Amino acid sequence: MDQLEPREQERTAVKTKRSKEYYKSLRKKLNNSKYLLILFAPVLLYYLIFHYAPMFGVVIAFKDYNLFKGVLESEWVGLKYFQIFIESPDFLNLLRNTFLLGFYNFLFGFPVPIIFALLLNELKNMYFKRFVQTLSYLPHFISNVVVASMIVVFLSPSGIVNRMISYLGIEPMNWMIMPEMFRTIFVSSEIWQHMGWEAIIYLAALTSISPQLYEAADIDGAGRFAKLWYITLPGILPAIFIVGILNIGKVLEIGFEKVFLLYNPVTYETADIISTYVYRVGLVQGNYSYATAIGLFLGVISFTFLFGANYLAKRFGQESLW
Amino acid sequence: MVLSKAKMTPFTFINSVLLLGVAFVTIYPFLHMIAVSLSGDVHVMRGDVNLIPKELTFKNYEHVLSDSRIGTGYFNTILYVTLGTAISLIITAMGAYALSKKTMIFRKGFMIMIVFTILFGGGMIPTFLVVKSLGLLDTVWAMVLPQAVSTWNLIIMRTFFSATIPNELEESAKIDGLNDLGIFARIVLPLSKPVLATIGLFYAVGIWNNFILPLLYLRDDALYPLQVILRNLVLVEQMADVSGGDAVVVQESIQYATILVSTLPILLLYPFLQKYFVKGVMIGSLKE
């Protein structure tokens, strides 16, 4: 200590004093929040165990995970599994399927709830409006297993869809084994399931537009489409942007569950996506490290997507997530 | 807008027809399944049942309900839903209340930590290994713990607490000698019944419909919930048809009966519950 110059001595003194005060106030704050911390503890534990522990478990993507040695003792192998994946014959196909399925799902699934909400908003009969709206949420609460079961039975060679088209003179087909039909079936069923639910947010935005704007437009002689273009759409634009960003970020997180329930080896060609492949390689075949590496690969791309979408939204001066 | 102005313009007409079409497309599959499942074999085989049952019979339902797997599935699902909803709801409410208090230390850090999990996660395999290393595989706990807290529901609740519980009320309770635990249990919870009902329903429906957790973590078929049984009874058999052999038409009515039996509670309760669901979305879309 005495080797230090007086000034520095002073500085360290101030520092220690400051950190002492800091600890004192910290202890006081901790004491004040102790009951809140008790209430928060289960949630904290939950996130640490079921979200953060797996995040650290991701290191096995860079190791040769051995069941008996455990995560820490297993040997490092660097990027070996990423390389195997990128060089594997499945790679391009999986990437294409994941992107295309997500992209089509966004392309067709994003505008439909907006249009649905706008059309509902034009209805003047409140009972009819509520009737349509109430029915439209229903499929959102039906499980994917039920929806997939319905699709598979409806589309079976003797199912209702084939019977209906046979009246039009079209030959019955076995839709579920036609790889070229998988994306259409998947995307349309997603729209059927979630359209009404996703419209809620736009309907809420629509109710917050001031009726005075419409009255003023009426006086100015604006028609239905002028009002739509100059009042309604700008009114719900922030909601559209937020939902849009979230959806772009989720483009690659297409539901594992539904694809898993609907696909079969015959349709792998168009239906097999990265997450279903991870399930087969990891849990069915027990290739933990390889499957984790593939999952991480997907996670990183998804992450980039969300950031990219948010950046774009910011650049256009619209609402953004952060 | 003024109601009396509602005239039948061509636009209103086309719009109404279009939305009626949407309503029909939504409900038609269910009505069709009900009709077929209640019809006699001959008519199902001939394919002439559409929306009205022909030769009303309940034998498909008798057949389905006599399958012991359905009974086990129902029992397991109900167990998972009650236990899981109780755990999820309690933990979420406690955590959400703590996060709604601006005075809590590290509040911002905790919030960032939670929101980050929306953006990034360990993925299927590392999560599986954690669940496995905790010894949860093939136990009831694997069905209720790994997804016990939904970040979305946690944020909805936090928003509700900070928006609707008046600060003055809590301050006066504090002066009267209650600590945060007492305030939470005796003031905040009784005032929050609507949001508790809403979030409880979200959790219950989520657990009822869950398929991923049992697929990943259960091997013992005595523990299978309804969704897995349903998949085995309907999808796996149907897919077996895909790989060759003639599809048996009579199966269709039994498959529909199976689907309906396992969806019945949601279909029946839906009209009473849907206003809560909508409320949940509305609270969630509020900004702080």
Side-chain angles (χ1 to χ4, degrees):
Chain A
M1 269 289 183
D2 35 35
Q3 267 143 327
L4 295 172
E5 280 178 34
R7 241 203 197 157
E8 260 177 63
Q9 259 178 21
E10 211 172 277
R11 224 181 268 158
T12 22
V14 170
K15 243 190 213 161
T16 45
K17 200 181 167 200
R18 247 190 229 152
S19 68
K20 246 184 206 160
E21 267 168 26
Y22 174 75
Y23 281 115
K24 215 173 159 190
S25 85
L26 185 74
R27 210 173 302 143
K28 204 178 153 206
K29 275 187 202 155
L30 269 174
N31 191 43
N32 284 344
S33 325
K34 66 177 179 248
Y35 295 112
L36 290 175
L37 287 173
I38 292 171
L39 285 173
F40 185 68
V43 168
L44 183 66
L45 270 178
Y46 166 76
Y47 278 94
L48 289 178
I49 295 172
F50 292 106
H51 288 271
Y52 281 87
M55 267 185 230
F56 292 108
V58 155
V59 294
I60 67 168
F62 306 94
K63 289 185 162 200
D64 248 330
Y65 179 66
N66 182 319
L67 216 57
F68 303 102
K69 286 185 188 165
V71 176
L72 293 177
E73 299 291 308
S74 296
E75 268 163 63
W76 290 98
V77 291
L79 296 174
K80 176 179 149 195
Y81 285 110
F82 293 89
Q83 203 182 345
I84 296 178
F85 178 54
I86 289 168
E87 285 166 2
S88 85
D90 299 316
F91 175 70
L92 279 178
N93 194 40
L94 285 170
L95 208 60
R96 195 187 61 213
N97 288 345
T98 312
F99 266 101
L100 278 184
L101 206 56
F103 174 68
Y104 287 141
N105 204 19
F106 175 74
L107 188 69
F108 296 105
F110 178 58
V112 172
I114 303 174
I115 298 169
F116 178 60
L118 290 174
L119 289 179
L120 264 181
N121 194 47
E122 295 289 334
L123 284 183
K124 297 292 180 292
N125 185 328
M126 284 302 141
Y127 293 105
F128 182 48
K129 182 179 169 183
R130 193 166 302 161
F131 169 74
V132 175
Q133 216 184 325
T134 303
L135 274 188
S136 71
Y137 310 143
L138 178 62
H140 181 79
F141 294 102
I142 301 298
S143 75
N144 280 325
V145 180
V146 167
V147 174
S149 301
M150 281 160 58
I151 293 171
V152 168
V153 184
F154 285 166
L155 292 178
S156 74
S158 57
I160 176 87
V161 172
N162 276 319
R163 260 185 278 137
M164 279 178 166
I165 63 168
S166 73
Y167 291 124
L168 306 170
I170 301 169
E171 283 286 301
M173 289 177 259
N174 195 345
W175 301 88
M176 297 316 292
I177 59 166
M178 297 164 71
E180 68 272 26
M181 290 311 298
F182 185 85
R183 288 179 190 134
T184 313
I185 295 170
F186 181 88
V187 171
S188 26
S189 80
E190 283 287 296
I191 294 176
W192 179 78
Q193 245 181 306
H194 304 297
M195 167 178 97
W197 188 251
E198 279 162 21
I200 293 181
I201 202 103
Y202 300 117
L203 285 165
L206 283 168
T207 55
S208 66
I209 300 175
S210 157
Q212 287 169 358
L213 289 175
Y214 291 105
E215 282 161 24
D218 273 331
I219 293 166
D220 289 344
R224 189 184 292 279
F225 288 98
K227 280 190 271 185
L228 174 75
W229 189 253
Y230 293 108
I231 304 172
T232 314
L233 275 181
I236 61 171
L237 207 58
I240 293 179
F241 260 86
I242 285 280
V243 177
I245 301 167
L246 283 171
N247 285 358
I248 292 178
K250 281 189 290 192
V251 154
L252 296 177
E253 284 174 31
I254 327 144
F256 159 83
E257 218 173 271
K258 191 116 159 264
V259 175
F260 176 82
L261 290 162
L262 283 175
Y263 81 163
N264 57 61
V266 190
T267 49
Y268 278 177
E269 180 192 334
T270 53
D272 199 13
I273 56 174
I274 294 182
S275 56
T276 49
Y277 188 73
V278 167
Y279 172 78
R280 289 207 311 278
V281 169
L283 281 180
V284 180
Q285 297 165 14
N287 246 326
Y288 293 137
S289 285
Y290 185 37
T292 304
I294 302 169
L296 183 60
F297 181 85
L298 179 69
V300 171
I301 306 180
S302 284
F303 202 70
T304 332
F305 255 67
L306 196 63
F307 269 84
N310 198 49
Y311 172 77
L312 281 180
K314 261 187 188 164
R315 280 217 48 186
F316 288 115
Q318 288 291 341
E319 298 249 355
S320 61
L321 290 179
W322 56 82
Chain B
M1 269 173 267
V2 197
L3 260 173
S4 61
K5 256 170 91 184
K7 270 182 286 174
M8 207 47 149
T9 62
F11 175 83
T12 324
F13 179 72
I14 295 171
N15 189 16
S16 305
V17 172
L18 208 65
L19 289 175
L20 206 60
V22 170
F24 181 73
V25 168
T26 309
I27 200 74
Y28 174 77
F30 298 104
L31 297 179
H32 176 69
M33 289 195 296
I34 294 171
V36 171
S37 66
L38 288 172
S39 295
D41 286 348
V42 193
H43 296 279
V44 177
M45 206 128 42
R46 247 191 268 144
D48 58 2
V49 185
N50 203 355
L51 282 175
I52 297 147
K54 290 191 173 157
E55 224 192 296
L56 190 70
T57 165
F58 290 96
K59 83 172 181 30
N60 292 317
Y61 286 93
E62 280 164 25
H63 179 92
V64 171
L65 292 175
S66 66
D67 190 325
S68 68
R69 287 176 292 182
I70 297 276
T72 320
Y74 247 97
F75 175 80
N76 289 334
T77 295
I78 290 172
L79 172 70
Y80 303 152
V81 168
T82 35
L83 184 69
T85 307
I87 294 178
S88 295
L89 198 55
I90 293 169
I91 297 182
T92 307
M94 284 163 49
Y97 178 69
L99 286 173
S100 77
K101 293 285 105 191
K102 293 214 165 60
T103 51
M104 185 174 74
I105 191 168
F106 305 139
R107 172 176 179 266
K108 231 182 182 153
F110 287 145
M111 219 37 228
I112 292 170
M113 179 189 151
I114 287 167
V115 172
F116 181 69
T117 62
I118 300 178
L119 302 174
F120 201 77
M124 188 187 286
I125 307 299
T127 313
F128 172 82
L129 292 175
V130 167
V131 173
K132 191 179 170 198
S133 68
L134 292 171
L136 298 182
L137 289 192
D138 270 327
T139 67
V140 178
W141 304 109
M143 294 299 99
V144 298
L145 293 181
Q147 290 180 6
V149 179
S150 133
T151 305
W152 179 239
N153 290 346
L154 185 71
I155 293 174
I156 292 181
M157 272 213 178
R158 188 200 61 154
T159 312
F160 178 89
F161 287 146
S162 52
T164 52
I165 310 287
N167 244 333
E168 294 78 10
L169 196 64
E170 293 169 58
E171 271 161 28
S172 63
K174 225 166 223 176
I175 293 167
D176 289 344
L178 274 183
N179 61 31
D180 288 311
L181 293 177
I183 295 173
F184 173 69
R186 292 165 64 177
I187 295 174
V188 175
L189 280 188
L191 284 175
S192 307
K193 277 177 199 147
V195 81
L196 291 173
T198 306
I199 300 298
L201 272 175
F202 277 137
Y203 276 128
V205 173
I207 302 172
W208 183 283
N209 285 340
N210 201 329
F211 174 71
I212 288 200
L213 289 185
L215 176 75
L216 297 180
Y217 305 137
L218 293 184
R219 297 285 168 273
D220 179 0
D221 50 15
L223 290 170
Y224 282 167
L226 217 41
Q227 303 299 328
V228 176
I229 308 274
L230 182 64
R231 172 185 174 244
N232 292 347
L233 288 180
V234 179
L235 282 171
V236 176
E237 278 175 31
Q238 190 76 31
M239 290 301 183
D241 282 344
V242 163
S243 44
D246 299 300
V248 192
V249 184
V250 191
Q251 283 273 322
E252 193 178 316
S253 47
I254 293 177
Q255 284 171 325
Y256 287 158
T258 317
I259 294 174
L260 287 168
V261 163
S262 47
T263 320
L264 212 59
I266 292 182
L267 288 179
L268 289 180
L269 292 175
Y270 178 73
F272 307 101
L273 301 183
Q274 63 101 8
K275 69 167 190 218
Y276 288 102
F277 293 138
V278 176
K279 215 183 264 170
V281 185
M282 301 311 263
I283 301 171
S285 61
L286 281 179
K287 277 200 171 174
E288 226 182 324

